[in-house]
Amino acid sequence: MISLAMLLCGSMAFGQTDDPVLMTINGKPVKRSAFEFAYKKYQTANGFERKSVADYAEQYANDKLKVEEALSERLDTLPSFLQLFAAYHNQQIPQTLDNDAETEAEARRLYAFTQQRVDASGGMIKVREILLRLGQRASKRTEIEVKQRIDSIYNALQHGADFGEMARRYSDNKTATNLGEHQPWLLPGQTLPEFETQAYALKKGEMSAPFLTPAGYHIILIEDKSAYFPYDSVRNNLLRFVSQRDLRNKLTAVRLQERSFAQRSSEDMALKKQADAFEKENPQMANLMQEYRDGLLIFEVSKRIIWDKAAHDEAGLTNYFDHNKKKYKWSSPRYKGIIIHAKEAGEVKKVKKLLKHIDFNHWKEAIDQQFNAGGEVRITATQGLFKSGDNSWIDYEIFKQGEAPQPIKDYPFNGVYGKKLKAPKALAEVRPLVLADYQEELERQWVKTLREKYPVIIHQEALKTIKENR
């Protein structure tokens, strides 16, 4: 969602005197100005992997097709959609100000709105990341290699490696803000949704496990969290925003309209009327409203057709994995097991005996219940799917590499339990890769169906007039 907090960062306005139809989706024209608005914003916001005009036009057309499908399913009539869109729509109404005092009052009103939106969405965060880029068209072998590298980096971090040093050495995001001491504050909606989901789930000082986004694999460290900026620190930007949006000549008319309606329903009608009129006078606002509307619809229809299905369709995931196992071959063996550290002699053997008849996913739980109840931790363990280089105990005991590791303090008795695998046997062992591929396959099939269902015409001559942003 495009928030006021992000709009305040700079103007996105651009003039259009010649505004031809750039594409037609299901008979509906899309003007060049609307496409260029979206393209410029995409290129500005997406620092990970920018697209050419031609490539983005195909993506844009696919998004518009999803909107058409959402409309055909009448998702624009859902109460949840109507409520969200009406609230955002009406909140964008410009209000005219008669004097400096009212300018200040309007700036404070906008601040309160923005503050509430940001804080309600989790506040602001300072994040450092280690990013290993993965192109959208990367081969399966490349995907697996990148996943192996990020897992190796994560393992090093878990064993005490410095996050900043690892970022400098290995991250593909080597911007000054990521590697420097002064991190910028990130606001909700400023980065990839998958990135934000991980970031806002962490506490200050916590580090994520590796996770995948359209940009690649990330490990992130939360350096700080905060509520929205104090008013005084953003006051000048707010006052400038009020002036640049030409709000000063409209407040009286809006207030008169609102006062002419006594009932709340009538007030809502007045707000909508004013907002509609302002959109006609301001193409940028009209594009912003259209973008927000399309985004709500795309989210809802994609959630129903792709994301929910892929996440909860165990049969579909299993079937996809069973038919594509060759895609998930490892370049080297793995060890699916657990490293056991015990305080007393004989307890490693007891743990192994316990685990023989328990599902792998419940090993740690079983150990805690059997050996660590009552507050005393008799057994500590590390469980996972390990490759060579991931764990020094596995390297020494299983892969016959390196020297015997030093025992952990107070836990002198050690052992490993599990089995060595040449290739993944179960979906759970490569689930993130399979889920991503399954979603991608569902997406391809869906878009292909939409292309057959709704006609798409892209006018190449108009497209050529759009300048590339590099």
Side-chain angles (χ1 to χ4, degrees), residues 160 191 248 251 286 338 373 418:
T191 185
R248 297 182 61 89
L251 181 60
I338 192 167

Side-chain angles (χ1 to χ4, degrees), residues 7 10 38 46 73 111-112 118 129 178 189 206 239 257 271 284 354 405 418 425 448 450 468:
L7 286 172
N46 194 328
E73 296 292 329
Y111 172 79
V118 171
E129 73 165 352
N178 189 48
E206 287 186 341
L239 294 175
Q257 282 187 340
L271 291 171
Q284 179 182 344
L354 171 70
K425 301 293 184 182
K448 181 180 178 181
L450 294 177
E468 300 276 356

